[in-house]
Amino acid sequence: MSGGTAVARASARHDPALVAAFLTVVLLAALFLAPRPVPNADPPSLRLAVADLRGHAIVILDTSSPGEVRRIAVPGGPHELVALPDGRLVVSLEQAGALALVDARSGAVETIEVGGTPHGLALQGDTLVVTDRSVNGVRRFAIGTWQERGTIAAGAWPHIVAAQPDGTLAVANAASDTLSIGARVLPVSHVPESVA
């Protein structure tokens, strides 16, 4: 008798209909127990930084309280922003020929005089790359020491730069109507402004 019961159990375990029923029960239980979004829950808070060119400030706002803004004065009109891994912002101050390091939490600002007309910013590993139309190139600075590592030639009036995963740079050259991608130069729209 016990041998017959064991055979019945073994054959029941391999019965496709029973396996399908078991899997259906498991799937329904997983769907029922899965976490669900809470209706009307507040979205996560996000801090945004905005360059106020005319007001010579970085405006910090929290998306959960957009009416509450904080202004951090910088020594010149800010153009572009990029976040460093440590949370500080690098700000290009083109007319002042400088970069500003801004701690959005404390409001501390450190100015780095670099000369020229620094504008577009991007991170490329441990290097900050900065477009500079005064030299028609992309200048490179070591993050932390801020020592200049040389300039890469670009088209006329390089405006914005983006670092590509393969290590090349994409540069929008406003006056030459081109986009440089590494060594390649492509004609694009009139006065290209940005790349992403």
Side-chain angles (χ1 to χ4, degrees), residues 11-113:
S11 60
R13 278 187 286 199
H14 298 292
D15 182 359
L18 289 176
V19 170
F22 174 75
L23 290 176
T24 302
V25 168
V26 170
L27 179 60
L28 289 174
L31 289 173
F32 180 76
L33 298 174
R36 304 223 188 288
V38 178
N40 300 323
D42 291 331
S45 177
L46 177 68
R47 285 186 317 149
L48 296 175
V50 180
D52 180 354
L53 178 66
R54 302 284 182 239
H56 291 204
I58 301 302
V59 178
I60 307 295
L61 63 92
D62 188 318
T63 58
S64 63
S65 306
E68 297 177 27
V69 298
R70 195 164 57 97
R71 299 178 65 79
I72 301 172
V74 291
H79 279 273
E80 306 298 331
L81 311 170
V82 68
L84 293 173
D86 67 8
R88 291 180 299 166
L89 299 171
V90 180
V91 181
S92 60
L93 307 173
E94 186 178 76
Q95 287 79 20
L99 301 171
L101 297 177
V102 177
D103 187 323
R105 289 184 174 86
S106 69
V109 177
E110 178 186 347
T111 304
I112 303 166
E113 303 289 337

Side-chain angles (χ1 to χ4, degrees), residues 165-187:
D166 66 358
T168 60
L169 298 175
V171 183
N173 301 301
S176 58
D177 299 338
T178 61
L179 178 69
S180 302
I181 304 174
R184 293 184 303 153
V185 178
L186 308 171

Side-chain angles (χ1 to χ4, degrees), residues 115-160:
T117 55
H119 192 90
L121 306 171
L123 299 181
Q124 188 182 43
D126 64 350
T127 303
L128 173 73
V129 292
V130 182
T131 62
D132 189 331
R133 62 185 164 86
S134 73
V135 295
N136 285 333
V138 178
R139 297 169 67 188
R140 303 167 63 245
F141 298 89
I143 295 172
T145 65
W146 306 109
Q147 294 296 311
E148 191 156 2
R149 292 180 166 169
T151 301
I152 299 168
W157 283 46
H159 194 72
I160 296 295

